[in-house]
């Protein structure tokens, strides 16, 4: 049998790279081919990596035809960038922990490798050592009864605070949480999974705290994790405290203790493993025996996965879902502690996650002209309420813009104002305000009065760092107020130049809109030019939120067709009704059942499924295409949370529906 060889390259020649190099030498399938450095003349490189060719610059290793896989050993802040660039170059990657600075960044990296068909994994070396599987099996077999508590720590004492050192510098994402906190968190989630017969469990609640230094990074930190099966875990980490560094698993019949679980009771060269089982006052010690270099296991696990055509590690290695879950815990931990690295802030995030300037000119998202708006705008608008940091939100905003999207949906109430603030930071940082079309919304219930419009718009513009919006909607209507007073208030903002396009109402009735148009025509005011009501292939039988208006029935469609009033449609894809979350036999989602479940809608869903199968698409793509192919202007508002969801939505643009198909989807 021929033994395959995986040719490794390393980006970044630091201490961890030297450890991985020794692991590759001790591996069964690996060969160290090259190392990329920005300082090829650095003394000692040839001695530290005698087997490897020394390449000048990280880009060189991406172009090297003799390198199959890359171990990324840069400081934390370079992990996502070079992992994405590796995917684009068709290279497999093993990324030193943490895989990225956040779960949002990691998801973007996995998205790049998913599209490239390449392998990517986080290098938690301890996960592949035989000791880790032995711990899992002991817990899963009930050796100590039912697990109640897990305690784990990883902490060491640096000689002192050094603000420029990678372990402290905010610009390098320093501190213990990212550097070593991932170890106890990953092991805790792994053990919780063992109690449920799963590769891992994600906690249902995380509460974290930390002691911060002058850089705003953590010297020492602790967090509590609560799991759905009742387990409570305590995790701690430090770069300025020598913690006991013992994994403790407490069960109803005893406990398991493992010292320095990530080194298997040894060091990087390989420990014998030590698992102490303490029951009834007696201690039984299990050893897994002297092993190869600790890093050889992850090198071989990556090689075996790549040879088998897999894109990720199997358990006990870190799968993509495992890495994402781990980073979500670290994200919450440092958010609770008030840690946002300077490298994540707008002033220091001028480039996209791949380390490049934002590109214009994308054509994946088509654009259109709409009466009253002086710019071409994308046929869909992006909403992004799920993001709470600039670094996380810009990943999606950048991707949408580079695909050709330039229409952004915000509202005064969204995220208590943070959505507007994030968009404003992004528009200013990227310098694309004049190329973008911004929707602003205000006057949400209970503050739905004419005098509120101007006051809230002032706050909106301040958050957006601009002096105008392109489109403005009242978020709700108040039938106790004469419609003319609302028209007057919005017309005044047009005359002041703070609304430079169209305005209208979100969740307004036909009658109210017609009345507003008539008032404007009679009194020489700008007429309302658009609505923003729900519109989808499935009709709402009960609105999602009080005060909302659904406009998908036949009477509404005739009204839109006759007047050609644009509708900026929210929930245009049925909020999951056209995915496998819904179904006649699936009734666990109260909102889906209450809002969408009736036979008329299920008939539409059945037809969307049938057409999607013929087109090689998904039903949700057909549902969005239906909205885009109406005989009146509809601008769907989409709210993807990940790059994968964004790319999935964009597939609808490939579908061309005939009027007959549109009618068939609707009526059968």
């Amino acid at each position: 049998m021929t033994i395959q060889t995986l040719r490794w390259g390393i980006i970044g020649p630091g201490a961890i790279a030297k450890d991985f190099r020794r692991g590759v030498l001790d591996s069964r399938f690996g060969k160290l081919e090259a190392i990329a450095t920005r300082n090829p003349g650095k003394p000692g490189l040839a001695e530290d990596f005698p087997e490897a060719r020394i390449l000048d610059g990280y880009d060189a290793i991406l172009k090297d035809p003799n390198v199959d896989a890359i171990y990324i050993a840069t400081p934390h802040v370079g992990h996502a960038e070079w992992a994405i660039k590796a995917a684009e170059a068709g290279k497999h990657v093993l990324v030193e922990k943490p895989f990225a600075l956040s779960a949002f960044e990691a998801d973007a990296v996995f998205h790049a490798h998913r599209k490239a068909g390449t392998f990517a994994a986080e290098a938690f070396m301890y996960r592949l050592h035989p000791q880790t599987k032995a711990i899992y099996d002991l817990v899963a077999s009930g050796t100590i009864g039912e697990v109640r508590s897990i305690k784990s720590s990883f902490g060491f004492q640096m000689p002192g605070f050094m603000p420029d050192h990678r372990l402290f510098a905010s610009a390098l994402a320093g501190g213990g949480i990212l550097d070593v906190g991932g170890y106890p968190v990953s092991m805790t989630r792994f053990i919780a999974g063992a109690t449920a017969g799963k590769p891992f469990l994600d906690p249902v609640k995380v509460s974290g705290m930390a002691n911060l230094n002058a850089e705003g990074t953590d010297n020492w930190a602790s967090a509590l994790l609560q799991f759905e099966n009742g387990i409570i875990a305590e995790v701690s980490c430090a770069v300025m405290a020598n913690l006991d560094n013992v994994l403790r698993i407490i069960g109803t019949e005893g406990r398991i203790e493992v010292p320095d679980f990530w080194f298997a009771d040894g060091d990087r060269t390989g420990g014998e493993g030590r698992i102490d089982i303490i029951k009834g006052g007696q201690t039984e010690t299990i050893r897994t025996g002297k092993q190869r270099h600790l890093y050889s296991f992850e090198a071989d696990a990556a090689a075996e996965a790549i040879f088998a055509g897999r894109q990720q590690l199997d358990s006990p290695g870190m799968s993509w879902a495992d890495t994402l879950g781990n980073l979500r815990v670290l994200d919450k931990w440092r958010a609770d502690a008030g840690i946002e690295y300077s490298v994540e802030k707008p002033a220091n995030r001028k480039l996209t996650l791949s380390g490049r300037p934002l590109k214009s000119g994308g054509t994946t998202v088509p654009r259109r002209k709409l009466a009253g708006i002086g710019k071409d705008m994308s046929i869909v608008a992006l909403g992004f309420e799920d993001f709470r940091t600039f670094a996380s939100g810009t990943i999606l905003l950048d991707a949408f813009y580079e695909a050709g999207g330039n229409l952004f949906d915000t509202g005064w109430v969204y995220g208590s104002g943070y959505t507007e603030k994030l968009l404003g930071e992004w528009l200013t940082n990227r310098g694309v305000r004049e190329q973008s079309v911004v929707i602003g919304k205000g006057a949400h219930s209970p503050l739905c009065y004419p005098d509120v419009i101007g006051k809230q718009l002032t706050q909106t513009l301040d958050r957006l760092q601009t002096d105008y919006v392109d489109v403005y909607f009242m978020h709700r209507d108040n039938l106790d107020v004469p419609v003319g007073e609302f028209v007057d208030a919005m017309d005044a903002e047009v005359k002041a130049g703070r609304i430079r396009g169209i305005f209208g109402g979100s969740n307004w009735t036909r009658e109210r809109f017609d009345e507003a148009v008539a008032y404007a025509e009679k009194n020489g005011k700008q007429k309302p030019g658009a609505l923003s009501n729900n519109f989808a292939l499935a009709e709402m039988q009960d609105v999602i939120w009080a005060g909302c208006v659904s406009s998908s029935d036949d009477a509404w469609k005739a009204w839109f067709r006759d007047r050609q009033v644009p509708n900026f449609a929210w929930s245009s894809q049925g909020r999951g009704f056209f995915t496998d979350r819904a179904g006649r036999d699936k009734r666990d989602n109260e909102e889906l059942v209450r809002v969408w479940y009736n036979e008329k809608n299920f008939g539409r869903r059945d037809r969307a499924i049938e057409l999607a199968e013929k087109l090689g698409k998904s039903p949700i793509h057909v549902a969005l295409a239906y909205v885009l192919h109406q005989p009146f202007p509809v601008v769907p508002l989409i709210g993807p949370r990940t790059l994968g969801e964004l790319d999935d939505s964009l597939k609808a643009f490939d579908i061309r529906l005939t009027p007959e198909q549109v009618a068939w989807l609707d009526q059968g």
Side-chain angles (χ1 to χ4, degrees), residues 649-664:
S649 293
L650 304 188
K651 293 176 182 177
F653 304 151
D654 299 331
I655 299 175
R656 299 288 181 268
L657 297 179
T658 65
E660 292 75 21
Q661 287 174 315
V662 170
W664 175 75

Side-chain angles (χ1 to χ4, degrees), residues 81-104:
E81 174 186 345
W82 291 102
I84 290 172
K85 288 178 175 176
E88 294 170 346
K91 304 292 188 185
H92 309 289
V93 295
L94 187 61
V95 184
E96 181 53 35
K97 57 76 203 161
F99 190 81
L101 299 191
S102 69
F104 295 101

Side-chain angles (χ1 to χ4, degrees), residues 53-122:
R53 290 177 288 113
I54 308 299
L55 302 180
D56 186 0
Y58 298 168
D59 286 311
I61 207 164
L62 302 180
K63 302 172 184 176
D64 195 313
N66 296 314
V67 170
D68 304 312
I70 299 173
Y71 178 75
I72 298 176
T74 66
H76 306 336
V77 294
H79 289 183
E81 174 186 345
W82 291 102
I84 290 172
K85 288 178 175 176
E88 294 170 346
K91 304 292 188 185
H92 309 289
V93 295
L94 187 61
V95 184
E96 181 53 35
K97 57 76 203 161
F99 190 81
L101 299 191
S102 69
F104 295 101
E105 287 192 2
D107 180 78
V109 175
F110 292 140
H111 180 67
H113 283 273
R114 185 181 296 111
K115 292 198 299 183
T118 43
F119 171 89
E122 186 171 21

Side-chain angles (χ1 to χ4, degrees), residues 295-588:
Y295 285 71
S296 69
F297 294 99
E298 64 183 10
D300 278 339
E304 289 177 308
I306 291 166
F307 296 155
R310 302 195 305 270
Q311 289 189 263
Q312 54 188 302
L313 291 173
D314 290 333
S315 184
M318 297 286 286
S319 66
W320 292 1
D322 201 350
T323 285
L324 289 171
N326 216 56
L327 281 167
R328 290 187 188 107
V329 174
L330 301 186
D331 290 346
K332 179 62 165 57
W333 189 353
R334 66 183 179 100
D336 285 353
I339 301 169
E340 183 181 16
Y341 305 116
S342 63
V343 71
E344 297 177 300
K345 295 180 180 180
N348 302 312
R349 271 268 163 141
K350 299 292 186 180
L351 303 176
T352 65
L353 189 60
S354 61
R356 305 181 180 101
L358 185 70
K359 295 183 296 185
S360 299
T363 58
T364 302
V365 183
R367 295 191 180 183
R368 68 187 304 173
K369 290 187 179 297
L370 202 62
I373 298 176
K375 311 170 189 176
D376 287 353
M377 68 180 201
S378 50
I379 63 173
V380 295
L382 179 70
F384 44 96
E385 289 184 70
D386 292 319
F387 302 95
R388 290 295 172 266
T389 67
F390 180 81
S392 61
T394 54
I395 296 171
L396 190 70
L397 289 165
D398 287 346
F400 181 68
Y401 186 85
E402 290 193 333
N406 72 332
L407 178 59
F408 302 97
D409 177 52
T410 68
W412 184 83
V413 300
Y414 292 162
S416 299
Y418 186 74
T419 301
E420 292 180 332
K421 180 176 182 291
L422 171 58
L423 180 61
E425 290 174 336
W426 180 82
L427 290 169
T428 300
N429 180 285
R430 299 301 194 250
V432 294
R433 173 63 187 98
E434 295 309 310
Q435 293 77 40
S436 301
V437 179
V438 177
I439 301 169
K441 292 196 284 288
H444 193 291
S445 303
L447 300 176
C448 191
Y449 298 97
D451 65 319
V452 170
I453 291 173
K455 296 173 184 176
Q456 289 186 350
L457 184 55
T458 296
Q459 289 180 289
T460 289
L461 297 178
D462 181 63
R463 293 167 180 166
L464 289 170
Q465 301 182 37
T466 185
D467 56 0
Y468 74 100
V469 293
D470 301 273
V471 180
Y472 180 84
F473 291 113
M474 284 181 56
H475 219 146
R476 292 288 192 273
D477 194 7
N478 183 348
L479 298 179
D480 293 332
V481 176
V483 74
E485 295 183 26
F486 287 130
V487 173
D488 288 344
M490 290 186 281
D491 179 74
E493 298 301 336
V494 172
K495 289 183 168 58
R498 302 206 304 172
I499 301 173
R500 297 190 188 173
I502 57 178
F503 65 74
S506 179
N507 299 299
W508 277 33
T509 64
R510 300 188 296 273
E511 295 77 15
R512 186 72 159 173
F513 190 89
D514 285 342
E515 184 184 351
V517 169
Y519 174 86
E521 290 176 337
K522 180 179 179 181
N523 292 278
K525 309 288 184 178
Q526 177 167 311
K527 295 187 295 185
L531 278 170
S532 183
N533 289 355
N534 165 252
F535 184 85
L537 175 56
E539 294 179 36
M540 287 185 179
Q541 61 184 0
D542 183 21
V543 293
I544 299 175
W545 306 288
C548 290
V549 174
S550 174
S551 54
S552 301
D553 63 22
D554 292 340
W556 266 108
K557 280 180 277 200
W559 185 89
F560 279 126
R561 186 174 58 250
D562 293 344
R563 288 162 177 74
Q564 291 297 302
V565 172
N567 185 29
F568 289 66
W570 53 267
S571 295
S572 57
Q573 292 171 289
R575 297 179 69 83
F577 181 72
F578 293 95
T579 71
D580 57 9
R581 289 170 51 205
R584 290 176 176 83
D585 59 340
K586 295 180 180 179
R587 309 189 68 85
D588 57 322

Side-chain angles (χ1 to χ4, degrees), residues 76 165-178 217-218 339 341:
H76 306 336
H165 193 284
R166 72 164 190 88
L167 288 174
F168 297 100
S170 186
L172 296 174
I177 292 176
L178 275 198
T217 61
D218 56 297
I339 301 169
Y341 305 116

